[in-house]
Amino acid sequence: MRNLTEAIVLENNAVAKNIYRMTLKCPEISRSAQPGQFVNIYFSDRIRIFPRPFSVAGATDEILTLIYRVVGAQTHQMAAWKDGQTVRILGPLGNQFSVESSVVSHVLVGGGVGVAPLMFLAEKFLQNGIDPLFFLGVKNRDEMPDAKLFGRLQTFYPSSDDGTTGFHGTAVDNFLSRLPQMGKPIVVYACGPEKMNAALARLAEEYRFVCQISFERVMACGLGLCQGCTVKKNSTDAEAGYLLVCKDGPVFRSEEVIFDD
Amino acid sequence: MRNLTEAIVLENNAVAKNIYRMTLKCPEISRSAQPGQFVNIYFSDRIRIFPRPFSVAGATDEILTLIYRVVGAQTHQMAAWKDGQTVRILGPLGNQFSVESSVVSHVLVGGGVGVAPLMFLAEKFLQNGIDPLFFLGVKNRDEMPDAKLFGRLQTFYPSSDDGTTGFHGTAVDNFLSRLPQMGKPIVVYACGPEKMNAALARLAEEYRFVCQISFERVMACGLGLCQGCTVKKNSTDAEAGYLLVCKDGPVFRSEEVIFDD
Amino acid sequence: MIDLSTQIGPKLHLKNPILTASGTFGYGDELADLIDLSRFGGIVTKSLTLHPRAGNPSPRVTETTAGMINSIGLANIGVDAFIEQKSESLRSFPGKVIANIAGRTEDEYAETLKKLESQEWIAGYEMNVSCPNVREGGIEFGAKPEILDRIVERFRGLTDRFLMIKLSPNVTDIRILAEVCQKRGADAVSMINTVYGAAIDIKTRKPLINTVIGGLSGPAIKPIAVANIIKTRRAVDIPIVGVGGITCGADVVEFLLAGASAVELGTVNFFNLNAAAEILEFLEEYGVAQGIGSIAELVGKAKV
Amino acid sequence: MIDLSTQIGPKLHLKNPILTASGTFGYGDELADLIDLSRFGGIVTKSLTLHPRAGNPSPRVTETTAGMINSIGLANIGVDAFIEQKSESLRSFPGKVIANIAGRTEDEYAETLKKLESQEWIAGYEMNVSCPNVREGGIEFGAKPEILDRIVERFRGLTDRFLMIKLSPNVTDIRILAEVCQKRGADAVSMINTVYGAAIDIKTRKPLINTVIGGLSGPAIKPIAVANIIKTRRAVDIPIVGVGGITCGADVVEFLLAGASAVELGTVNFFNLNAAAEILEFLEEYGVAQGIGSIAELVGKAKV
Ligand SMILES: Cc1cc2nc3c(=O)[nH]c(=O)nc-3n(C[C@H](O)[C@H](O)[C@H](O)COP(=O)(O)OP(=O)(O)OC[C@H]3O[C@@H](n4cnc5c(N)ncnc54)[C@H](O)[C@@H]3O)c2cc1C
Ligand SMILES: Cc1cc2nc3c(=O)[nH]c(=O)nc-3n(C[C@H](O)[C@H](O)[C@H](O)COP(=O)(O)OP(=O)(O)OC[C@H]3O[C@@H](n4cnc5c(N)ncnc54)[C@H](O)[C@@H]3O)c2cc1C
Ligand SMILES: Cc1cc2nc3c(=O)[nH]c(=O)nc-3n(C[C@H](O)[C@H](O)[C@H](O)COP(=O)(O)O)c2cc1C
Ligand SMILES: Cc1cc2nc3c(=O)[nH]c(=O)nc-3n(C[C@H](O)[C@H](O)[C@H](O)COP(=O)(O)O)c2cc1C
Ligand code: FES
Ligand code: FES
């Protein structure tokens, strides 16, 4: 059940360079939010009119957690929000990661701030007594979120493009290096840059594992109203349509979609 | 010499209902500002793009005083400014009241927030040992600025449309009622609603006194760039042009202009 | 208590002047769980075409200063699926449903309209002859008087229901086109569709819209809509439905004064789900403050 | 250190691509005490007419969302007073001076141009055939291809100097008009003039602009300008000077990529006197960041 409501900022702190973690008192949304879903944040200014979508990075009965990177005007504003600030917010929106039983290895692969939805998913796994394998890749040490966040994970595999922290290489390289030892069947849950997602999709085909990817698109509404947030459907028929990231997604199985659009 | 500079808010307090008095540390402007001149305040938001013009209500070597009424978005913003706030400001702009010697009665007639430029003018008179007659009209008691502001005036004649404070009637009525006793020649310096200005202009003709009026127009630039802030020139020639409030004014002699435009 | 009802020509009565703008509210059922749809006097559907359309590749939307550019390309489920999937929910909508129709060819428009005639719950049609974002069947139908003349005559021959033609601002003189609509018996014209707009990413140098040039909408274009309505109001007698940049009640009053008999809310739906409720509240207050008994008293009453 | 100079056809070389937009910078001498005018590659004057013009009654300007509407009505001191009063200061301006010319009739344009030919310090002309705010001599010269064809041919016959025609976005297809300008030997086209716009005060019900409909400008119209430039760039070979909603360096780059060889700053002059300085700074940084040696490399390089 999605709700449009006013949430109250509880904490809002940097957990890495330009990356913040915000907790909000927002029971109307946090109660029903599932990993993979996102929320719309609305801003009062009329210069930039789109709401901004953010994955749910954690949810309890009362509290919603977001993890966001400061990339432009609105996230810049958000970074300045103090506790007590009220925030116009709508959610939970979109579909969710579907956790399949009879799976041996649950593999989370995140790039940069793609960590957000995976944190929530990992949390759920832990609650259900499952230890997921968590691969997180960042550019460099500065962008690696505070280790505390991953404390409860048995198997956390950090990596950095420049080798300044963890494995030297991408999260995908890191995952690939350990793939042989993993118990099958494997399901990969991914969120990161389009490049990373595409690479994983190719591997999923090659190594025959299920890959669920959380997508991003610029969104005007987040509600299926504008038809703006499309990914191309993977289909033989030429007139194949598009999927809406906000409504059909944001999570798609790698074989459902075509990347080069 | 006009300057574009960053001023710093010192005080910013309500002196009547929806009317505020702001002092700014702004020597670049305050040093040269004269009664009748105005400043442009620039706002960073891009939704409302015009700078906002405000009459100089007082100026010392270091400090600039403004008196403003909250009427819309930008003045609403201003009312929330705290001391220490920096303000982008340009001035002094426009012409000034010209104080003629060999005048017996210097009469200031203000309506509402038209008090602003007249406060500054009154101050100058007092500095030069002249006691002006100050008529100020407001709607009702709530809108009458704090008496302290007029403490140093020998002859202050307040009035209100509803009679809740001072003379019951307009500033013009009040002035008219005392006109007979005034020593001639008289010069009236006025700032108020267009209606009040027009009424004074008619009286000036009837009773043959000089009347200098500070005008208001919506201004896009305040600098003579846009040609937007016109008042019709009073002239026999049909193709008579317009005067620019920001550049030729804001102060005009009543006979220079036509009101019904 | 102001009377909010409005009459758009003899054939369409609305309980209030607030409609949804085509393409910004899905098929009318998207938000049923979030907002009270009965706030709207009517719903205008996404443009429907004879066959389903996938629409344009991404990116389809981009933000601009106080507005946005879109190039959806009339993506829609097609008229058959619309009737099959949406008639039940829309039949129960307590306001009027206007079907917006687009097409690649005149025949496509006609065929689509004919199919919709079978649905008694459809109060009327808004013909989109002004879409800037499709190669065929877009604005060229709406930009050339002679073509518009022919197709409006044809549409009129196909239905006795409320028939409204949606016009584009991307023309030299919108009045000529409105006059054609009136001459050929259209019940109303709606304006404006989006304004040609484009934006380029200065880092990648790529256009921010797949079709390079798309349609500009949102608060930024409101003055353009108001100008077109004022002009058209002087030229024709048929009612005008106003659309373009409306975000609040004051905007709606401005459109009514300019000459609109009703308005459509578009882009605002993306950033303020409560717009309709806030607008109705404002109209009530405004009516009291101005001592107006009915919003009909406002239509075209600007002192222009 | 990026080379900021730009060549607008064979006849006009600018040390940088930043010009002032007509009517938003007076006659070029208004701000001499406040800003360093030499920042500008060139100054375009307020539209000059054969005889002085008083212009339209008030209100002449009103604010709109991220923009403004104006209806000045070509108020200007007239070409004779311009030459008499402004030649001294403008002669010493270290950039190019472009005289913008408007008129009620074709002859008025021609007479005005002839008078200006006597002034060797004038580098060229921008012909305003697209003013939305005057009864005669406004946009109708610029909206009808056949009329435009005739007058551009006539202007071309009167001067060997740089001749630029300023086009309006308020037309169905700006390309046709640009093609006419090219065919008749214009050195460049500039676009866009203001977009038709209107606003109404909902309390007084009066239009907020004396002529009811005026010209919309400012950030709100930037996407409209970019779209027109992209379209025109594909249709003609003569250079385009871009104008419309520019506020910052990123906007200038966007216009260059879209196909403009230079740009004009208009409304921004009203709210940011340092715009030109900030833009030049940005262009330097952008050049370094993108490894570009000259801004000429950017012109028309959008991947459209
Ligand atoms: C389903 C979904 C989930 C997301 N989850 C997260 C998250 O958990 N943490 C996080 O940091 N970011 C997330 N994003 C991206 C986030 O929405 C954008 O970074 C944010 O909107 C940027 O806003 P801005 O004004 O700061 O930057 P802008 O100046 O608006 O844009 C900066 C960049 O962000 C992208 N962007 C801008 N607006 C949007 C939009 N409405 N939707 C998508 N991308 C946009 C643009 O492509 C641009 O390149 C998510 C996006 C989607 C679609
Ligand atoms: C030379 C001059 C001196 C002024 N001095 C003072 C003063 O000392 N104290 C004071 O309170 N006000 C003064 N004003 C008026 C003041 O500029 C406006 O009240 C202010 O700009 C309103 O801005 P806003 O955003 O709060 O209201 P808005 O919502 O912008 O407008 C509210 C009302 O203010 C008027 N207004 C808006 N913008 C302008 C503008 N740029 N210029 C003129 N009027 C405008 C409009 O007519 C409108 O009806 C002066 C105006 C001028 C031209
Ligand atoms: C994302 C989007 C999709 C649209 N799709 C359609 C459409 O399918 N048919 C149509 O007639 N108009 C369509 N429009 C135009 C709107 O109905 C409306 O005319 C325009 O957006 C101006 O109104 P606004 O500024 O309130 O959005 C669309 C607009 C947007 C923003
Ligand atoms: C107040 C004002 C006056 C203008 N006067 C003229 C003019 O005299 N001649 C002309 O060709 N354009 C005139 N213009 C149009 C501008 O030159 C420019 O084309 C338009 O404003 C779009 O650019 P902008 O959005 O940067 O302002 C005027 C614009 C404004 C805002
Ligand atoms: S963002 Fe509007 S449909 Fe997905
Ligand atoms: S406000 Fe622009 S000329 Fe006066």
Side-chain angles (χ1 to χ4, degrees), chain A residues 81-115:
Chain A
W81 288 348
K82 304 258 162 295
D83 60 314
Q85 163 94 35
T86 63
V87 179
R88 196 148 192 72
I89 184 168
L90 169 67
L93 301 171
N95 68 354
Q96 47 185 284
F97 289 109
S98 64
V99 173
E100 280 140 64
S101 53
S102 77
V103 168
V104 175
S105 303
H106 293 282
V107 183
L108 281 49
V109 182
V113 77
V115 67

Side-chain angles (χ1 to χ4, degrees), chain A residues 211-234:
Chain A
C211 183
Q212 300 179 28
I213 302 169
S214 172
F215 279 74
E216 280 194 21
R217 284 291 183 274
V218 172
M219 293 185 167
C221 74
L223 288 166
L225 299 176
C226 75
Q227 305 273 313
C229 59
T230 48
V231 268
K232 192 134 185 64
K233 215 185 272 170
N234 183 12

Side-chain angles (χ1 to χ4, degrees), chain B residues 225-227, chain D residues 21-24 45-47 61 68 70 72 74 100 126 128 130-131 166 192-194 215-219 221 243-246 264-268 270:
Chain B
L225 299 176
C226 75
Q227 306 271 315
Chain D
S22 181
T24 66
T45 68
K46 173 75 185 167
S47 278
V61 293
M68 65 178 285
N70 89 83
I72 307 302
L74 299 180
N100 179 296
E126 179 177 60
N128 177 7
S130 48
C131 180
K166 187 169 186 178
I192 57 176
N193 208 319
T194 52
L216 181 66
S217 67
I221 70 167
V243 52
I246 293 171
E264 299 176 352
L265 306 186
T267 302
V268 69
F270 303 158

Side-chain angles (χ1 to χ4, degrees), chain A residues 188-228:
Chain A
V188 170
Y189 312 85
C191 184
E194 200 86 344
K195 261 203 175 68
M196 183 195 99
N197 298 341
L200 282 172
R202 279 191 301 276
L203 292 176
E205 217 179 325
E206 187 180 340
Y207 295 94
R208 314 211 157 298
F209 58 79
V210 173
C211 183
Q212 300 179 28
I213 302 169
S214 172
F215 279 74
E216 280 194 21
R217 284 291 183 274
V218 172
M219 293 185 167
C221 74
L223 288 166
L225 299 176
C226 75
Q227 305 273 313

Side-chain angles (χ1 to χ4, degrees), chain B residues 219-229 244 246:
Chain B
M219 293 185 168
C221 74
L223 287 164
L225 299 176
C226 75
Q227 306 271 315
C229 59
L244 296 180
C246 72

